[in-house]
């Protein structure tokens, strides 16, 4: 099976998992369930649950204990987009060609739908505890990783600095900080949780964190590159938006060629670490390459 | 020691716990830690952590495993107020005589501070796992209660219906639903988590849920009563606000005398259930009475 077929097969499986864990649309509060589904089922690369699943399989995980966490991390990623789009934040009316959540459901429901998705992520992850008392320790460990990487020392922290530095001169160190937290932290959480739930040891989990940190950074720099080199048709969103918004990016900071070198270098380093773990890295390694050398 | 002295002593202890679990104000994202502290340390009755602690002690709990959960539930209560005050929601400029979080830190940071507090609540609760693997099962159980009572089937669900029914004719059934979820759910979570962490059984935990459901309802109806019978001087906030906002309350629905009877009846029922549990109910019972027959 080609990479593309394997990837599509996984996307279908992940969307099934997300649907399974979405709350039923019922009760007086039904509208919030609708808004959650509208936000969560808007498509996207499903990068985080896919990385989690592949990391879980990489370490020999075979049961379904990882599924509630796959749904949870996508819910957290989604809530961050819903709140990011709000009028007081980026004030975006469209995302992936569809109206944003607060445009469809109102600003109050946009705020509450984000809150609901964040809370429901933890509620969903907690369902892993139903798999049996013998798994409680590793689930607790996974829960800690999820909460810390999504919070003020992870994704939210990066978002805060990104918002606060809008329109300001951002230096390289600050850009690194924002990328590492805003994008990197949830990618790190994904592969770490997959590893922990499959029973990987501390050393292996740390290696996965390092790998994901490099992959996350390369992924984000590639975003900056595509904004300069791609076309609106291929990308499905306006190009040259960073230039228009006078945003500091890796490309404006280091130049296009240097940025491309950085992506290649980080990917090579990440794969190098992956090879030090004595496991069959097949699809996971292909996925890294695809994520980074993607054209959209 | 008088009830008031015992209560004040507990408030001091709880504020110490909250301070201990607040993140240090450091790093590029320091402003979000400041906004979290500003919101969390604004005073208040500390009702939820106090009920949790007393329920924990009631069931013989003696160690500090409950403390991260005490901090967590107050963080969740606080984030709900921060988001509730936002311009797109109630648009409140003052709370407890201080400017609201978004007025001080900006609307974007108001949204992010709420998100940060909600996420940090789970991050904080996870610290209970550090007490040892032997506690993992009961901590997992407590985590499930926290997440479900705070979410779309609990507090957020109540908030959604409350927001959606503003300015509409609310019938008794709907009012019950809003009170039970918006106020009741976190009070139920408080006593249930205290019980579970102290090792109470399923039957006892269910009894605590029933007790808290009645106490929560009586507490909320007493709020409606005080809005009619008290003065602005005693209450520290404007009275007759429900009438001004044309809000349906228990008092407008059933009349003042009937509302008072309901409060007395529910409290009696709650204490009745409490007495069926073979434990020393001293301070917990006094606390129930104080919460309900308070004058402000």
């Amino acid at each position: 099976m080609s990479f593309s077929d394997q990837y599509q097969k996984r996307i279908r499986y992940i969307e099934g998992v997300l649907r399974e864990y979405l709350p039923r649309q019922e009760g007086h509060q039904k509208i919030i369930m609708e808004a959650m589904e509208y936000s969560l089922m808007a498509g996207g690369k499903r990068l985080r649950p896919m990385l989690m699943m592949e990391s879980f399989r990489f370490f020999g995980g075979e049961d379904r204990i990882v599924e509630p966490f796959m749904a949870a991390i996508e819910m957290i990623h989604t809530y961050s987009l819903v709140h990011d789009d709000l009028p007081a934040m980026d004030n975006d009316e469209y995302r992936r060609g569809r109206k944003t959540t607060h445009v469809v459901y109102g600003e109050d429901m946009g705020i509450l739908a984000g809150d609901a998705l964040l809370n429901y992520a933890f509620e969903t992850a907690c369902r892993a505890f139903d798999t049996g008392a013998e798994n409680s320790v590793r689930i607790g460990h996974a829960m800690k990783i999820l909460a810390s990487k999504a919070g003020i020392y992870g994704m939210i922290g990066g978002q805060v600095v990104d918002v606060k530095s809008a329109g300001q001169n951002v230096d390289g160190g600050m850009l690194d900080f924002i990328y590492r937290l805003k994008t990197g932290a949830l990618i790190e959480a994904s592969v770490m949780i997959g590893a922990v739930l499959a029973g990987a040891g501390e050393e292996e989990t740390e290696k996965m964190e390092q790998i994901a940190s490099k992959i996350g950074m390369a992924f984000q720099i590639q975003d900056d590159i595509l904004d300069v080199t791609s076309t609106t048709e291929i990308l499905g969103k306006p190009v040259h938006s960073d230039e228009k918004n006078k945003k500091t990016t890796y490309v404006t900071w280091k130049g296009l060629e240097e940025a491309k070198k950085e992506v290649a270098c980080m990917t090579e380093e990440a794969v190098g670490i992956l090879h030090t773990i004595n496991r069959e890295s097949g699809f996971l390694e292909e996925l890294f390459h695809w994520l980074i050398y993607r054209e959209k």
Side-chain angles (χ1 to χ4, degrees), chain A:
Chain A
M1 222 192 306
S2 71
F3 175 80
S4 172
D5 287 347
Q6 286 182 290
Y7 176 80
Q8 287 306 329
K9 192 179 152 196
R10 281 163 171 82
I11 288 276
R12 284 193 298 276
Y13 162 65
I14 291 167
E15 305 242 318
V17 170
L18 295 179
R19 286 208 175 276
E20 191 188 326
Y21 282 99
L22 266 171
R24 266 198 285 178
Q25 297 186 6
E26 60 186 10
H28 296 304
Q29 69 275 55
K30 192 180 167 204
I31 189 172
I32 200 74
M33 286 90 162
E34 286 175 21
M36 289 164 79
E37 177 167 337
Y38 180 84
S39 317
L40 191 67
M41 301 314 287
K45 296 186 190 69
R46 309 303 189 189
L47 166 61
R48 292 152 195 84
M50 198 177 295
L51 283 171
M52 191 185 289
M53 182 177 77
E54 293 309 320
S55 174
F56 181 70
R57 290 183 182 175
F58 179 67
F59 286 104
E62 284 180 342
D63 54 3
R64 300 177 62 190
I65 196 175
V66 72
E67 291 183 355
F69 279 92
M70 287 167 60
I73 204 142
E74 192 70 3
M75 287 173 193
I76 289 180
H77 172 58
T78 302
Y79 110 80
S80 79
L81 302 180
V82 172
H83 278 186
D84 212 18
D85 289 335
L86 285 169
M89 307 280 281
D90 285 355
N91 195 19
D92 279 320
E93 279 184 50
Y94 287 89
R95 178 177 287 277
R96 298 193 188 110
R98 298 200 324 163
K99 288 197 170 166
T100 46
T101 307
H102 70 273
V103 170
V104 176
Y105 292 93
E107 200 178 332
D108 48 3
M109 287 301 126
I111 294 167
L112 285 167
D115 295 348
L117 279 166
L118 172 54
N119 192 94
Y120 206 68
F122 288 103
E123 203 169 341
T124 301
C126 276
R127 288 173 63 180
F129 284 113
D130 299 341
T131 59
E134 70 279 14
N135 298 322
S136 290
V137 171
R138 69 175 74 170
I139 294 165
H141 190 180
M143 198 76 82
K144 281 182 85 160
I145 294 168
L146 184 68
S148 69
K149 293 289 182 185
I152 52 174
Y153 301 108
M155 186 187 70
I156 294 175
Q159 175 69 352
V160 167
V161 178
D162 194 28
V163 167
K164 275 293 158 193
S165 57
Q168 286 184 23
N169 218 347
V170 175
D171 67 18
M174 196 68 108
L175 199 65
D176 256 343
F177 181 90
I178 294 171
Y179 285 11
R180 199 160 48 77
L181 269 64
K182 193 176 168 176
T183 309
L186 278 198
I187 292 178
E188 288 162 25
S190 302
V191 300
M192 290 170 79
I193 289 170
V196 162
L197 290 178
E202 205 173 318
E203 200 191 322
E204 290 169 323
T205 307
E206 259 176 42
K207 279 184 181 179
M208 292 309 284
E209 184 177 24
Q210 287 166 24
I211 291 166
S213 168
K214 290 175 193 296
I215 293 296
M217 188 63 81
F219 179 79
Q220 188 58 54
I221 299 174
Q222 183 66 9
D223 241 27
D224 296 346
I225 293 172
L226 289 175
D227 189 65
V228 176
T229 61
S230 189
T231 65
T232 300
E233 288 71 43
I234 294 176
L235 221 52
K237 63 180 180 185
V239 290
H240 305 298
S241 68
D242 295 331
E243 199 188 329
K244 245 173 267 164
N245 299 326
K246 291 186 180 157
K247 234 185 151 171
T248 310
T249 72
Y250 244 79
V251 175
T252 66
W253 177 34
K254 292 202 167 176
L256 186 59
E257 288 316 306
E258 203 53 45
K260 283 181 179 175
K261 268 187 213 160
E262 197 91 18
V263 168
C265 177
M266 283 191 177
T267 310
E268 206 177 302
E269 282 175 14
V271 172
I273 304 174
L274 191 67
H275 287 166
T276 68
I277 306 173
N278 195 16
R279 299 268 177 185
E280 184 52 63
S281 67
F283 187 79
L284 190 55
E285 196 172 331
E286 283 186 72
L287 184 61
F288 287 168
H289 280 278
W290 176 79
L291 281 172
I292 286 159
Y293 297 111
R294 72 202 143 92
E295 291 187 333
K296 61 177 187 175

